[in-house]
Amino acid sequence: MELRHLRYFMAVAEMGSLTSAAERRLHTSQPSLKPQIRELEDQVGVELLSVARGALEFDCAGRASSTTRGWR
């Protein structure tokens, strides 16, 4: 696991949006961020985020991870 993957996840959790995190925090594009989050999910073996009807939702593991550290 690489530290950058965790940094990317933290940015998405704090901003509540892949696009906002990519553009405002990480200075990259949303399409390049999504595969990085998927790599983190593959490495930890659980789905952290899902997009339903255009809205970003944290799955159980994602919610637990983000609230454990005081993120959204």
Side-chain angles (χ1 to χ4, degrees):
M1 180 180 315
E2 295 185 36
L3 186 56
R4 67 184 166 93
H5 290 121
L6 295 175
R7 188 171 63 93
Y8 295 159
F9 177 73
M10 285 175 44
V12 172
E14 289 170 355
M15 300 298 290
S17 162
L18 281 166
T19 303
S20 294
E23 293 174 356
R24 296 181 186 159
R25 287 279 174 90
L26 303 169
H27 309 289
T28 188
S29 65
Q30 183 272 339
S32 68
L33 178 59
K34 198 166 186 173
Q36 301 298 321
I37 299 295
R38 293 292 175 234
E39 281 183 35
L40 177 62
E41 291 176 331
D42 289 344
Q43 291 171 2
V44 298
V46 295
E47 190 172 279
L48 300 170
L49 305 172
S50 62
V51 179
R53 289 171 269 159
L56 179 69
E57 295 179 1
F58 288 92
D59 293 327
C60 286
R63 259 192 314 277
S65 298
S66 65
T67 57
T68 299
R69 299 286 181 207
W71 306 324
R72 263 182 195 219

Short mmCIF file of all heavy atoms in Angstrom, two decimals:
data_model
loop_
_atom_site.label_atom_id
_atom_site.label_comp_id
_atom_site.label_asym_id
_atom_site.label_seq_id
_atom_site.Cartn_x
_atom_site.Cartn_y
_atom_site.Cartn_z
N MET A 1 0.86 -1.17 0.00
CA MET A 1 0.00 0.00 0.00
C MET A 1 0.90 1.24 0.00
O MET A 1 1.89 1.29 0.73
CB MET A 1 -0.89 -0.02 1.23
CG MET A 1 -1.80 1.17 1.30
SD MET A 1 -2.88 1.21 2.75
CE MET A 1 -3.48 -0.46 2.83
N GLU A 2 0.53 2.19 -0.79
CA GLU A 2 1.31 3.42 -0.89
C GLU A 2 0.61 4.55 -0.14
O GLU A 2 -0.61 4.63 -0.11
CB GLU A 2 1.50 3.80 -2.35
CG GLU A 2 2.35 2.78 -3.10
CD GLU A 2 2.64 3.21 -4.52
OE1 GLU A 2 2.83 4.42 -4.75
OE2 GLU A 2 2.66 2.32 -5.39
N LEU A 3 1.40 5.40 0.45
CA LEU A 3 0.88 6.52 1.22
C LEU A 3 0.00 7.42 0.36
O LEU A 3 -1.01 7.95 0.83
CB LEU A 3 2.04 7.32 1.82
CG LEU A 3 1.66 8.44 2.77
CD1 LEU A 3 0.82 7.93 3.91
CD2 LEU A 3 2.91 9.11 3.30
N ARG A 4 0.33 7.55 -0.92
CA ARG A 4 -0.46 8.43 -1.79
C ARG A 4 -1.90 7.93 -1.91
O ARG A 4 -2.83 8.73 -1.99
CB ARG A 4 0.18 8.59 -3.16
CG ARG A 4 0.20 7.34 -4.00
CD ARG A 4 0.96 7.56 -5.32
NE ARG A 4 1.23 6.30 -5.94
CZ ARG A 4 0.47 5.72 -6.84
NH1 ARG A 4 -0.63 6.32 -7.24
NH2 ARG A 4 0.78 4.56 -7.35
N HIS A 5 -2.11 6.62 -1.89
CA HIS A 5 -3.47 6.09 -1.97
C HIS A 5 -4.28 6.54 -0.75
O HIS A 5 -5.44 6.92 -0.87
CB HIS A 5 -3.47 4.56 -2.05
CG HIS A 5 -2.97 4.04 -3.36
ND1 HIS A 5 -1.89 3.21 -3.44
CD2 HIS A 5 -3.38 4.25 -4.63
CE1 HIS A 5 -1.66 2.91 -4.71
NE2 HIS A 5 -2.56 3.54 -5.45
N LEU A 6 -3.66 6.50 0.40
CA LEU A 6 -4.36 6.94 1.62
C LEU A 6 -4.62 8.45 1.58
O LEU A 6 -5.67 8.91 1.99
CB LEU A 6 -3.53 6.59 2.85
CG LEU A 6 -3.36 5.09 3.10
CD1 LEU A 6 -2.42 4.86 4.28
CD2 LEU A 6 -4.68 4.41 3.33
N ARG A 7 -3.65 9.19 1.06
CA ARG A 7 -3.82 10.64 0.93
C ARG A 7 -4.97 10.96 -0.01
O ARG A 7 -5.79 11.85 0.25
CB ARG A 7 -2.51 11.27 0.43
CG ARG A 7 -2.52 12.78 0.44
CD ARG A 7 -1.13 13.32 0.15
NE ARG A 7 -0.65 12.96 -1.16
CZ ARG A 7 -0.79 13.72 -2.25
NH1 ARG A 7 -1.40 14.87 -2.18
NH2 ARG A 7 -0.30 13.32 -3.40
N TYR A 8 -5.08 10.22 -1.09
CA TYR A 8 -6.18 10.42 -2.04
C TYR A 8 -7.52 10.11 -1.38
O TYR A 8 -8.48 10.86 -1.53
CB TYR A 8 -6.01 9.54 -3.28
CG TYR A 8 -4.81 9.85 -4.13
CD1 TYR A 8 -4.29 8.90 -5.00
CD2 TYR A 8 -4.15 11.08 -4.06
CE1 TYR A 8 -3.19 9.17 -5.79
CE2 TYR A 8 -3.04 11.34 -4.84
CZ TYR A 8 -2.56 10.39 -5.70
OH TYR A 8 -1.47 10.65 -6.48
N PHE A 9 -7.59 9.00 -0.65
CA PHE A 9 -8.83 8.64 0.03
C PHE A 9 -9.21 9.70 1.06
O PHE A 9 -10.38 10.09 1.16
CB PHE A 9 -8.71 7.26 0.69
CG PHE A 9 -9.94 6.89 1.46
CD1 PHE A 9 -11.10 6.52 0.81
CD2 PHE A 9 -9.94 6.92 2.85
CE1 PHE A 9 -12.24 6.18 1.52
CE2 PHE A 9 -11.07 6.59 3.57
CZ PHE A 9 -12.23 6.22 2.90
N MET A 10 -8.23 10.18 1.81
CA MET A 10 -8.50 11.22 2.80
C MET A 10 -9.07 12.47 2.14
O MET A 10 -10.01 13.07 2.65
CB MET A 10 -7.21 11.59 3.54
CG MET A 10 -6.77 10.56 4.54
SD MET A 10 -5.18 10.93 5.32
CE MET A 10 -5.28 12.64 5.70
N ALA A 11 -8.51 12.87 1.01
CA ALA A 11 -8.98 14.06 0.30
C ALA A 11 -10.43 13.87 -0.16
O ALA A 11 -11.25 14.78 -0.01
CB ALA A 11 -8.08 14.37 -0.89
N VAL A 12 -10.75 12.70 -0.68
CA VAL A 12 -12.12 12.43 -1.13
C VAL A 12 -13.07 12.45 0.07
O VAL A 12 -14.15 13.04 0.01
CB VAL A 12 -12.21 11.08 -1.87
CG1 VAL A 12 -13.66 10.70 -2.16
CG2 VAL A 12 -11.41 11.14 -3.17
N ALA A 13 -12.66 11.85 1.19
CA ALA A 13 -13.50 11.83 2.39
C ALA A 13 -13.74 13.24 2.91
O ALA A 13 -14.85 13.59 3.29
CB ALA A 13 -12.85 10.96 3.46
N GLU A 14 -12.69 14.06 2.93
CA GLU A 14 -12.82 15.42 3.44
C GLU A 14 -13.67 16.30 2.53
O GLU A 14 -14.47 17.09 3.01
CB GLU A 14 -11.44 16.04 3.62
CG GLU A 14 -10.67 15.43 4.78
CD GLU A 14 -9.22 15.86 4.82
OE1 GLU A 14 -8.75 16.57 3.90
OE2 GLU A 14 -8.55 15.49 5.79
N MET A 15 -13.51 16.14 1.23
CA MET A 15 -14.25 16.98 0.28
C MET A 15 -15.64 16.42 -0.01
O MET A 15 -16.52 17.16 -0.45
CB MET A 15 -13.47 17.12 -1.03
CG MET A 15 -12.10 17.76 -0.89
SD MET A 15 -12.15 19.45 -0.28
CE MET A 15 -12.85 20.29 -1.68
N GLY A 16 -15.83 15.12 0.17
CA GLY A 16 -17.13 14.51 -0.11
C GLY A 16 -17.42 14.33 -1.58
O GLY A 16 -18.54 14.04 -1.97
N SER A 17 -16.38 14.48 -2.41
CA SER A 17 -16.57 14.40 -3.85
C SER A 17 -15.25 14.05 -4.53
O SER A 17 -14.21 14.62 -4.18
CB SER A 17 -17.06 15.76 -4.37
OG SER A 17 -16.87 15.89 -5.75
N LEU A 18 -15.31 13.12 -5.48
CA LEU A 18 -14.11 12.78 -6.24
C LEU A 18 -13.62 13.98 -7.05
O LEU A 18 -12.42 14.28 -7.07
CB LEU A 18 -14.38 11.62 -7.19
CG LEU A 18 -14.39 10.22 -6.59
CD1 LEU A 18 -15.01 9.24 -7.55
CD2 LEU A 18 -13.00 9.79 -6.23
N THR A 19 -14.54 14.66 -7.69
CA THR A 19 -14.17 15.78 -8.54
C THR A 19 -13.57 16.92 -7.73
O THR A 19 -12.51 17.45 -8.08
CB THR A 19 -15.38 16.29 -9.35
OG1 THR A 19 -15.90 15.20 -10.12
CG2 THR A 19 -15.01 17.43 -10.27
N SER A 20 -14.20 17.29 -6.63
CA SER A 20 -13.67 18.37 -5.79
C SER A 20 -12.31 18.01 -5.21
O SER A 20 -11.39 18.84 -5.19
CB SER A 20 -14.63 18.69 -4.64
OG SER A 20 -15.82 19.21 -5.13
N ALA A 21 -12.17 16.78 -4.74
CA ALA A 21 -10.89 16.34 -4.19
C ALA A 21 -9.81 16.39 -5.26
O ALA A 21 -8.69 16.86 -5.01
CB ALA A 21 -11.01 14.94 -3.62
N ALA A 22 -10.14 15.90 -6.45
CA ALA A 22 -9.16 15.87 -7.53
C ALA A 22 -8.72 17.28 -7.93
O ALA A 22 -7.53 17.56 -8.02
CB ALA A 22 -9.74 15.14 -8.74
N GLU A 23 -9.68 18.15 -8.15
CA GLU A 23 -9.37 19.47 -8.66
C GLU A 23 -8.84 20.43 -7.60
O GLU A 23 -7.89 21.17 -7.85
CB GLU A 23 -10.61 20.07 -9.32
CG GLU A 23 -11.01 19.31 -10.58
CD GLU A 23 -12.32 19.79 -11.17
OE1 GLU A 23 -12.99 20.67 -10.57
OE2 GLU A 23 -12.69 19.26 -12.23
N ARG A 24 -9.43 20.43 -6.42
CA ARG A 24 -9.08 21.44 -5.41
C ARG A 24 -7.97 21.02 -4.47
O ARG A 24 -7.20 21.85 -4.01
CB ARG A 24 -10.31 21.80 -4.59
CG ARG A 24 -11.37 22.46 -5.45
CD ARG A 24 -12.57 22.83 -4.63
NE ARG A 24 -13.62 23.34 -5.50
CZ ARG A 24 -14.88 23.37 -5.17
NH1 ARG A 24 -15.27 22.95 -3.98
NH2 ARG A 24 -15.78 23.83 -6.01
N ARG A 25 -7.92 19.74 -4.12
CA ARG A 25 -6.93 19.28 -3.16
C ARG A 25 -5.71 18.64 -3.82
O ARG A 25 -4.60 18.82 -3.38
CB ARG A 25 -7.53 18.26 -2.20
CG ARG A 25 -8.46 18.82 -1.19
CD ARG A 25 -7.66 19.42 -0.01
NE ARG A 25 -8.53 20.09 0.91
CZ ARG A 25 -9.10 19.51 1.95
NH1 ARG A 25 -8.87 18.25 2.22
NH2 ARG A 25 -9.89 20.21 2.73
N LEU A 26 -5.98 17.83 -4.84
CA LEU A 26 -4.91 17.01 -5.41
C LEU A 26 -4.37 17.55 -6.72
O LEU A 26 -3.38 17.04 -7.24
CB LEU A 26 -5.41 15.57 -5.58
CG LEU A 26 -5.92 14.93 -4.28
CD1 LEU A 26 -6.64 13.64 -4.58
CD2 LEU A 26 -4.77 14.72 -3.32
N HIS A 27 -5.03 18.54 -7.27
CA HIS A 27 -4.61 19.20 -8.51
C HIS A 27 -4.39 18.20 -9.65
O HIS A 27 -3.36 18.18 -10.31
CB HIS A 27 -3.36 20.05 -8.27
CG HIS A 27 -3.53 20.99 -7.12
ND1 HIS A 27 -4.36 22.09 -7.17
CD2 HIS A 27 -3.02 20.95 -5.86
CE1 HIS A 27 -4.33 22.71 -6.01
NE2 HIS A 27 -3.53 22.04 -5.19
N THR A 28 -5.41 17.37 -9.83
CA THR A 28 -5.41 16.39 -10.90
C THR A 28 -6.83 16.30 -11.44
O THR A 28 -7.67 17.11 -11.08
CB THR A 28 -4.90 15.02 -10.38
OG1 THR A 28 -4.73 14.13 -11.47
CG2 THR A 28 -5.83 14.40 -9.36
N SER A 29 -7.10 15.34 -12.29
CA SER A 29 -8.45 15.20 -12.83
C SER A 29 -9.15 14.02 -12.16
O SER A 29 -8.51 13.08 -11.68
CB SER A 29 -8.39 14.97 -14.34
OG SER A 29 -7.75 13.74 -14.62
N GLN A 30 -10.47 14.07 -12.15
CA GLN A 30 -11.26 13.01 -11.53
C GLN A 30 -11.02 11.66 -12.19
O GLN A 30 -10.87 10.65 -11.50
CB GLN A 30 -12.74 13.40 -11.54
CG GLN A 30 -13.65 12.40 -10.86
CD GLN A 30 -14.15 11.30 -11.77
OE1 GLN A 30 -14.16 11.45 -12.99
NE2 GLN A 30 -14.56 10.20 -11.20
N PRO A 31 -10.93 11.59 -13.53
CA PRO A 31 -10.70 10.28 -14.15
C PRO A 31 -9.36 9.64 -13.73
O PRO A 31 -9.26 8.43 -13.69
CB PRO A 31 -10.72 10.57 -15.65
CG PRO A 31 -11.58 11.77 -15.77
CD PRO A 31 -11.26 12.60 -14.55
N SER A 32 -8.37 10.44 -13.39
CA SER A 32 -7.10 9.85 -12.96
C SER A 32 -7.13 9.48 -11.47
O SER A 32 -6.34 8.64 -11.03
CB SER A 32 -5.95 10.81 -13.23
OG SER A 32 -6.03 11.95 -12.41
N LEU A 33 -8.04 10.05 -10.71
CA LEU A 33 -8.14 9.76 -9.29
C LEU A 33 -8.88 8.45 -9.02
O LEU A 33 -8.49 7.67 -8.15
CB LEU A 33 -8.84 10.91 -8.56
CG LEU A 33 -9.08 10.75 -7.07
CD1 LEU A 33 -7.77 10.54 -6.32
CD2 LEU A 33 -9.82 11.96 -6.52
N LYS A 34 -9.92 8.20 -9.79
CA LYS A 34 -10.75 7.03 -9.55
C LYS A 34 -9.96 5.71 -9.58
O LYS A 34 -10.14 4.88 -8.68
CB LYS A 34 -11.90 7.00 -10.56
CG LYS A 34 -13.02 6.10 -10.14
CD LYS A 34 -14.25 6.35 -10.96
CE LYS A 34 -15.40 5.54 -10.41
NZ LYS A 34 -16.64 5.85 -11.07
N PRO A 35 -9.06 5.49 -10.54
CA PRO A 35 -8.28 4.25 -10.52
C PRO A 35 -7.38 4.13 -9.29
O PRO A 35 -7.13 3.02 -8.81
CB PRO A 35 -7.44 4.31 -11.80
CG PRO A 35 -8.10 5.31 -12.66
CD PRO A 35 -8.80 6.26 -11.75
N GLN A 36 -6.92 5.25 -8.77
CA GLN A 36 -6.08 5.23 -7.57
C GLN A 36 -6.89 4.74 -6.36
O GLN A 36 -6.40 3.96 -5.55
CB GLN A 36 -5.50 6.61 -7.29
CG GLN A 36 -4.65 7.17 -8.41
CD GLN A 36 -3.42 6.32 -8.68
OE1 GLN A 36 -2.79 5.81 -7.77
NE2 GLN A 36 -3.09 6.18 -9.95
N ILE A 37 -8.13 5.19 -6.27
CA ILE A 37 -9.01 4.74 -5.19
C ILE A 37 -9.31 3.26 -5.37
O ILE A 37 -9.31 2.50 -4.39
CB ILE A 37 -10.32 5.57 -5.15
CG1 ILE A 37 -10.03 7.06 -4.90
CG2 ILE A 37 -11.29 5.00 -4.12
CD1 ILE A 37 -9.42 7.39 -3.55
N ARG A 38 -9.52 2.82 -6.60
CA ARG A 38 -9.79 1.40 -6.88
C ARG A 38 -8.59 0.54 -6.48
O ARG A 38 -8.74 -0.56 -5.96
CB ARG A 38 -10.14 1.17 -8.35
CG ARG A 38 -11.44 1.79 -8.76
CD ARG A 38 -12.62 1.10 -8.10
NE ARG A 38 -13.85 1.80 -8.44
CZ ARG A 38 -14.71 2.26 -7.57
NH1 ARG A 38 -14.51 2.07 -6.28
NH2 ARG A 38 -15.78 2.90 -7.93
N GLU A 39 -7.37 1.04 -6.73
CA GLU A 39 -6.17 0.30 -6.32
C GLU A 39 -6.14 0.13 -4.80
O GLU A 39 -5.80 -0.95 -4.31
CB GLU A 39 -4.90 1.03 -6.76
CG GLU A 39 -4.55 0.85 -8.21
CD GLU A 39 -3.24 1.53 -8.58
OE1 GLU A 39 -2.31 1.57 -7.73
OE2 GLU A 39 -3.16 2.03 -9.71
N LEU A 40 -6.47 1.18 -4.06
CA LEU A 40 -6.52 1.09 -2.61
C LEU A 40 -7.56 0.06 -2.17
O LEU A 40 -7.30 -0.77 -1.29
CB LEU A 40 -6.83 2.46 -1.99
CG LEU A 40 -6.99 2.48 -0.47
CD1 LEU A 40 -5.70 2.06 0.23
CD2 LEU A 40 -7.41 3.88 -0.02
N GLU A 41 -8.72 0.08 -2.81
CA GLU A 41 -9.76 -0.89 -2.48
C GLU A 41 -9.28 -2.31 -2.75
O GLU A 41 -9.53 -3.22 -1.94
CB GLU A 41 -11.03 -0.60 -3.29
CG GLU A 41 -11.73 0.67 -2.88
CD GLU A 41 -12.91 1.02 -3.74
OE1 GLU A 41 -12.94 0.66 -4.94
OE2 GLU A 41 -13.84 1.65 -3.20
N ASP A 42 -8.58 -2.52 -3.85
CA ASP A 42 -8.04 -3.85 -4.16
C ASP A 42 -7.03 -4.29 -3.11
O ASP A 42 -7.02 -5.45 -2.70
CB ASP A 42 -7.38 -3.86 -5.54
CG ASP A 42 -8.38 -3.76 -6.68
OD1 ASP A 42 -9.59 -3.99 -6.45
OD2 ASP A 42 -7.94 -3.44 -7.81
N GLN A 43 -6.21 -3.35 -2.66
CA GLN A 43 -5.18 -3.69 -1.69
C GLN A 43 -5.76 -4.01 -0.31
O GLN A 43 -5.26 -4.90 0.37
CB GLN A 43 -4.17 -2.55 -1.58
CG GLN A 43 -3.33 -2.41 -2.82
CD GLN A 43 -2.47 -1.16 -2.83
OE1 GLN A 43 -2.46 -0.39 -1.88
NE2 GLN A 43 -1.74 -0.96 -3.91
N VAL A 44 -6.80 -3.31 0.10
CA VAL A 44 -7.40 -3.59 1.42
C VAL A 44 -8.48 -4.66 1.33
O VAL A 44 -8.92 -5.16 2.35
CB VAL A 44 -7.94 -2.32 2.11
CG1 VAL A 44 -6.81 -1.34 2.38
CG2 VAL A 44 -9.04 -1.67 1.32
N GLY A 45 -8.92 -4.97 0.14
CA GLY A 45 -9.88 -6.05 -0.06
C GLY A 45 -11.33 -5.72 0.21
O GLY A 45 -12.14 -6.63 0.40
N VAL A 46 -11.67 -4.43 0.27
CA VAL A 46 -13.06 -4.02 0.47
C VAL A 46 -13.36 -2.81 -0.39
O VAL A 46 -12.46 -2.04 -0.75
CB VAL A 46 -13.39 -3.67 1.94
CG1 VAL A 46 -13.28 -4.89 2.83
CG2 VAL A 46 -12.51 -2.57 2.45
N GLU A 47 -14.63 -2.63 -0.72
CA GLU A 47 -15.05 -1.45 -1.45
C GLU A 47 -15.23 -0.31 -0.47
O GLU A 47 -15.92 -0.45 0.54
CB GLU A 47 -16.36 -1.74 -2.19
CG GLU A 47 -16.73 -0.66 -3.16
CD GLU A 47 -17.92 -1.05 -4.02
OE1 GLU A 47 -17.71 -1.77 -5.00
OE2 GLU A 47 -19.04 -0.61 -3.69
N LEU A 48 -14.59 0.82 -0.73
CA LEU A 48 -14.66 1.97 0.17
C LEU A 48 -15.67 3.00 -0.29
O LEU A 48 -16.32 3.64 0.53
CB LEU A 48 -13.28 2.63 0.27
CG LEU A 48 -12.16 1.74 0.81
CD1 LEU A 48 -10.81 2.43 0.64
CD2 LEU A 48 -12.42 1.38 2.25
N LEU A 49 -15.80 3.17 -1.60
CA LEU A 49 -16.68 4.19 -2.17
C LEU A 49 -17.54 3.57 -3.25
O LEU A 49 -17.13 2.64 -3.93
CB LEU A 49 -15.86 5.31 -2.82
CG LEU A 49 -14.82 6.02 -1.99
CD1 LEU A 49 -14.00 6.94 -2.89
CD2 LEU A 49 -15.48 6.82 -0.90
N SER A 50 -18.72 4.14 -3.44
CA SER A 50 -19.54 3.77 -4.58
C SER A 50 -20.25 5.02 -5.08
O SER A 50 -20.43 5.97 -4.33
CB SER A 50 -20.55 2.68 -4.21
OG SER A 50 -21.43 3.13 -3.22
N VAL A 51 -20.62 4.98 -6.33
CA VAL A 51 -21.34 6.11 -6.90
C VAL A 51 -22.71 5.60 -7.31
O VAL A 51 -22.84 4.71 -8.14
CB VAL A 51 -20.60 6.70 -8.12
CG1 VAL A 51 -21.38 7.84 -8.72
CG2 VAL A 51 -19.20 7.14 -7.73
N ALA A 52 -23.74 6.14 -6.67
CA ALA A 52 -25.10 5.74 -6.95
C ALA A 52 -25.88 6.97 -7.41
O ALA A 52 -25.95 7.96 -6.69
CB ALA A 52 -25.75 5.14 -5.71
N ARG A 53 -26.44 6.89 -8.61
CA ARG A 53 -27.20 8.01 -9.18
C ARG A 53 -26.42 9.32 -9.15
O ARG A 53 -26.96 10.37 -8.81
CB ARG A 53 -28.55 8.15 -8.48
CG ARG A 53 -29.50 7.02 -8.84
CD ARG A 53 -30.71 7.06 -7.99
NE ARG A 53 -30.35 6.20 -6.85
CZ ARG A 53 -30.93 6.24 -5.67
NH1 ARG A 53 -31.89 7.06 -5.45
NH2 ARG A 53 -30.56 5.43 -4.72
N GLY A 54 -25.13 9.23 -9.42
CA GLY A 54 -24.30 10.43 -9.49
C GLY A 54 -23.81 10.96 -8.15
O GLY A 54 -23.06 11.90 -8.09
N ALA A 55 -24.24 10.32 -7.05
CA ALA A 55 -23.82 10.77 -5.72
C ALA A 55 -22.79 9.81 -5.14
O ALA A 55 -22.94 8.60 -5.23
CB ALA A 55 -25.03 10.86 -4.79
N LEU A 56 -21.75 10.37 -4.55
CA LEU A 56 -20.70 9.57 -3.92
C LEU A 56 -21.18 9.09 -2.57
O LEU A 56 -21.70 9.86 -1.76
CB LEU A 56 -19.45 10.43 -3.74
CG LEU A 56 -18.26 9.77 -3.07
CD1 LEU A 56 -17.67 8.71 -4.00
CD2 LEU A 56 -17.22 10.80 -2.72
N GLU A 57 -21.03 7.80 -2.32
CA GLU A 57 -21.42 7.22 -1.04
C GLU A 57 -20.26 6.40 -0.51
O GLU A 57 -19.58 5.70 -1.26
CB GLU A 57 -22.63 6.31 -1.21
CG GLU A 57 -23.88 7.03 -1.64
CD GLU A 57 -25.07 6.09 -1.82
OE1 GLU A 57 -24.92 4.87 -1.58
OE2 GLU A 57 -26.14 6.58 -2.18
N PHE A 58 -20.04 6.50 0.79
CA PHE A 58 -19.04 5.66 1.44
C PHE A 58 -19.71 4.36 1.82
O PHE A 58 -20.77 4.36 2.43
CB PHE A 58 -18.48 6.33 2.69
CG PHE A 58 -17.60 7.49 2.39
CD1 PHE A 58 -18.11 8.77 2.31
CD2 PHE A 58 -16.26 7.29 2.15
CE1 PHE A 58 -17.30 9.84 2.01
CE2 PHE A 58 -15.43 8.36 1.85
CZ PHE A 58 -15.95 9.63 1.79
N ASP A 59 -19.10 3.24 1.45
CA ASP A 59 -19.60 1.95 1.89
C ASP A 59 -19.20 1.77 3.35
O ASP A 59 -18.51 2.61 3.92
CB ASP A 59 -19.02 0.84 1.00
CG ASP A 59 -19.57 0.95 -0.42
OD1 ASP A 59 -20.73 1.36 -0.58
OD2 ASP A 59 -18.84 0.62 -1.37
N CYS A 60 -19.63 0.70 3.97
CA CYS A 60 -19.39 0.50 5.40
C CYS A 60 -17.92 0.68 5.77
O CYS A 60 -17.59 1.40 6.72
CB CYS A 60 -19.85 -0.88 5.83
SG CYS A 60 -21.64 -1.02 5.92
N ALA A 61 -17.03 0.06 5.05
CA ALA A 61 -15.60 0.17 5.37
C ALA A 61 -15.10 1.59 5.16
O ALA A 61 -14.29 2.10 5.92
CB ALA A 61 -14.79 -0.80 4.52
N GLY A 62 -15.59 2.25 4.13
CA GLY A 62 -15.20 3.63 3.86
C GLY A 62 -15.69 4.58 4.93
O GLY A 62 -14.98 5.49 5.36
N ARG A 63 -16.93 4.37 5.39
CA ARG A 63 -17.48 5.19 6.47
C ARG A 63 -16.67 5.00 7.74
O ARG A 63 -16.31 5.94 8.42
CB ARG A 63 -18.94 4.84 6.73
CG ARG A 63 -19.90 5.79 6.11
CD ARG A 63 -21.33 5.59 6.63
NE ARG A 63 -21.78 4.21 6.68
CZ ARG A 63 -22.26 3.54 5.65
NH1 ARG A 63 -22.36 4.11 4.48
NH2 ARG A 63 -22.67 2.30 5.78
N ALA A 64 -16.39 3.75 8.07
CA ALA A 64 -15.62 3.45 9.29
C ALA A 64 -14.23 4.05 9.20
O ALA A 64 -13.74 4.64 10.16
CB ALA A 64 -15.54 1.94 9.50
N SER A 65 -13.58 3.95 8.06
CA SER A 65 -12.24 4.50 7.89
C SER A 65 -12.24 6.01 8.00
O SER A 65 -11.37 6.59 8.63
CB SER A 65 -11.67 4.10 6.53
OG SER A 65 -11.56 2.71 6.43
N SER A 66 -13.20 6.66 7.39
CA SER A 66 -13.21 8.11 7.39
C SER A 66 -13.62 8.68 8.74
O SER A 66 -13.09 9.69 9.17
CB SER A 66 -14.11 8.66 6.28
OG SER A 66 -15.44 8.32 6.50
N THR A 67 -14.52 8.03 9.46
CA THR A 67 -14.94 8.56 10.76
C THR A 67 -13.95 8.24 11.87
O THR A 67 -13.87 8.95 12.85
CB THR A 67 -16.34 8.06 11.16
OG1 THR A 67 -16.33 6.64 11.18
CG2 THR A 67 -17.40 8.56 10.21
N THR A 68 -13.17 7.20 11.71
CA THR A 68 -12.17 6.83 12.70
C THR A 68 -11.15 7.96 12.87
O THR A 68 -10.69 8.24 13.96
CB THR A 68 -11.44 5.54 12.29
OG1 THR A 68 -12.41 4.51 12.21
CG2 THR A 68 -10.38 5.16 13.28
N ARG A 69 -10.83 8.62 11.82
CA ARG A 69 -9.84 9.68 11.86
C ARG A 69 -10.46 11.07 11.96
O ARG A 69 -9.77 12.06 11.83
CB ARG A 69 -8.96 9.62 10.60
CG ARG A 69 -8.21 8.34 10.47
CD ARG A 69 -7.08 8.32 11.45
NE ARG A 69 -6.35 7.09 11.30
CZ ARG A 69 -5.66 6.54 12.25
NH1 ARG A 69 -5.63 7.08 13.43
NH2 ARG A 69 -5.03 5.42 12.06
N GLY A 70 -11.75 11.14 12.18
CA GLY A 70 -12.40 12.43 12.33
C GLY A 70 -12.73 13.11 11.01
O GLY A 70 -13.00 14.29 10.95
N TRP A 71 -12.68 12.35 9.91
CA TRP A 71 -13.06 12.89 8.62
C TRP A 71 -14.56 12.84 8.53
O TRP A 71 -15.23 12.34 9.40
CB TRP A 71 -12.43 12.10 7.48
CG TRP A 71 -10.95 11.97 7.60
CD1 TRP A 71 -10.08 12.90 8.07
CD2 TRP A 71 -10.17 10.84 7.24
NE1 TRP A 71 -8.81 12.43 8.03
CE2 TRP A 71 -8.83 11.19 7.53
CE3 TRP A 71 -10.44 9.61 6.72
CZ2 TRP A 71 -7.80 10.29 7.28
CZ3 TRP A 71 -9.42 8.75 6.47
CH2 TRP A 71 -8.11 9.09 6.76
N ARG A 72 -15.11 13.30 7.43
CA ARG A 72 -16.56 13.27 7.22
C ARG A 72 -17.20 11.98 7.54
O ARG A 72 -16.91 10.94 7.25
CB ARG A 72 -16.85 13.56 5.75
CG ARG A 72 -17.16 14.95 5.58
CD ARG A 72 -17.49 15.17 4.14
NE ARG A 72 -17.41 16.58 4.02
CZ ARG A 72 -18.20 17.31 3.33
NH1 ARG A 72 -19.09 16.76 2.60
NH2 ARG A 72 -18.10 18.58 3.30
#
